[in-house]
Amino acid sequence: MYRPVFILTLALLLAAAGCSAVNTAEPSLPAPVSTQATRVPAPALTTALPIPTPSPTPAPTTLPTATPVPTPTPLSEEALNARIVDARNKLTNLIDSNVADTIITHPDGSQSCEVKMSRELGYLIDATTGESTFVKGDYWSIDADLFRNPMKKDHTYVIIHTHPRMWATCQGSGIVSQYTFSDGDLIATASLTEQGYHIRTLIAITDKEYRIWPKVADDWMTETEIRGAVGRIERRLETSFTYYDPVLQREYYDMDSLMPLLAKELNYSYTVNNHVIA
């Protein structure tokens, strides 16, 4: 009876061992799923540069608008000539008046020698505006500064002045008078031009009306050029135009004889009572 029981027990043990072997085997794992991770690169090391501060935008420079200076407009020929005629008539009336301070002297203390003198008078006529300025000079001349002081360098002028009827009679010395322009007139006008002023015409009033002007505007010759021109004329004609007056104790040029020749030499236009001489 014990044998069948033993066999049955053994069979049960074996069965139990088989089950245990199966259950203890390593279970199969599922195949691993490959996942690729996205690798974020580490930031590179950089040296931080300073951020430049923007320069302030300069405010626009506003230049002041220049006010245009109008160009002075010269008078018409008719208007200018009317002012010249008016000044000439006034000066003609004043030559022997009290305004000219005419005096007669006796240098030798007796009545046998007489010298008559008058102050030179003049007008400065602005050929741009027409304005006239009266000028009273000395007994032998008018200081050029008296004309210069009212002048403007952007205007053009006409100078008109008297050569008074000055004379000296001493022991038959005769009459000394300067009718046309003197060398001093021409030199003074040239000096004004060198200073930047514009003289259109120079006029002398005596018993006649004398006018002179350069054929090229503002081309008044200097004193050196005038003296040189006189020298050339004297050499060409082999004569001298100077003389000395012992009573007045002055040396003069005989400008009445010299002026027509000198005007041509200097390239000037020269008229006597509007009659063209050169």
Side-chain angles (χ1 to χ4, degrees):
M1 179 174 179
Y2 287 109
R3 178 177 288 279
V5 172
F6 173 76
I7 293 171
L8 180 61
T9 302
L10 180 62
L12 290 173
L13 290 171
L14 290 173
C19 290
S20 175
V22 172
N23 291 336
T24 58
E26 184 177 354
S28 60
L29 297 176
V33 178
S34 176
T35 60
Q36 184 174 358
T38 301
R39 184 171 182 175
V40 180
L45 296 178
T46 59
T47 302
L49 297 177
I51 300 175
T53 302
S55 301
T57 303
T61 302
T62 303
L63 298 177
T65 303
T67 303
V69 178
T71 302
T73 303
L75 292 178
S76 66
E77 289 296 322
E78 294 78 9
L80 177 59
N81 193 59
R83 285 161 174 78
I84 291 173
V85 170
D86 180 65
R88 180 197 65 196
N89 292 339
K90 289 178 179 177
L91 291 176
T92 299
N93 294 329
L94 292 175
I95 284 178
D96 290 321
S97 73
N98 291 334
V99 176
D101 297 330
T102 302
I103 58 174
I104 297 177
T105 62
H106 301 87
D108 63 350
S110 69
Q111 298 298 316
S112 62
C113 184
E114 290 186 346
V115 175
K116 176 184 177 180
M117 296 186 296
S118 297
R119 292 183 185 273
E120 290 195 7
L121 310 174
Y123 277 98
L124 174 70
I125 302 175
D126 190 327
T128 304
T129 65
E131 181 181 0
S132 296
T133 304
F134 177 72
V135 175
K136 184 173 182 177
D138 297 323
Y139 281 100
W140 293 103
S141 65
I142 298 180
D143 190 333
D145 285 345
L146 296 176
F147 289 109
R148 180 183 59 81
N149 291 338
M151 286 184 178
K152 298 178 180 179
K153 292 186 177 180
D154 59 342
H155 287 205
T156 302
Y157 296 89
V158 172
I159 292 178
I160 179 170
H161 70 297
T162 62
H163 278 176
R165 299 178 180 90
M166 304 175 71
W167 46 261
T169 57
C170 296
Q171 298 177 355
S173 65
I175 296 176
V176 176
S177 184
Q178 182 72 64
Y179 288 101
T180 187
F181 301 100
S182 67
D183 55 322
D185 292 336
L186 303 181
I187 292 169
T189 304
S191 176
L192 290 172
T193 300
E194 289 176 346
Q195 295 174 57
Y197 298 99
H198 305 282
I199 311 301
R200 171 173 169 161
T201 309
L202 182 62
I203 302 175
I205 302 297
T206 58
D207 61 330
K208 299 178 181 179
E209 179 187 308
Y210 300 83
R211 297 192 186 194
I212 195 166
W213 65 94
K215 293 181 179 180
V216 177
D218 290 327
D219 195 23
W220 294 96
M221 299 299 169
T222 64
E223 179 176 1
T224 300
E225 292 168 327
I226 292 170
R227 302 294 185 209
V230 172
R232 290 192 299 273
I233 294 170
E234 290 182 331
R235 289 190 298 271
R236 186 166 64 242
L237 300 179
E238 298 181 347
T239 187
S240 174
F241 287 88
T242 59
Y243 64 91
Y244 179 79
D245 186 276
V247 176
L248 300 178
Q249 298 182 351
R250 295 184 60 163
E251 185 176 72
Y252 300 90
Y253 277 115
D254 179 8
M255 296 299 292
D256 293 319
S257 301
L258 179 60
M259 198 66 243
L261 302 171
L262 185 58
K264 293 179 181 179
E265 195 77 20
L266 299 176
N267 197 33
Y268 290 172
S269 294
Y270 177 58
T271 65
V272 180
N273 283 349
N274 293 319
H275 177 66
V276 177
I277 305 298

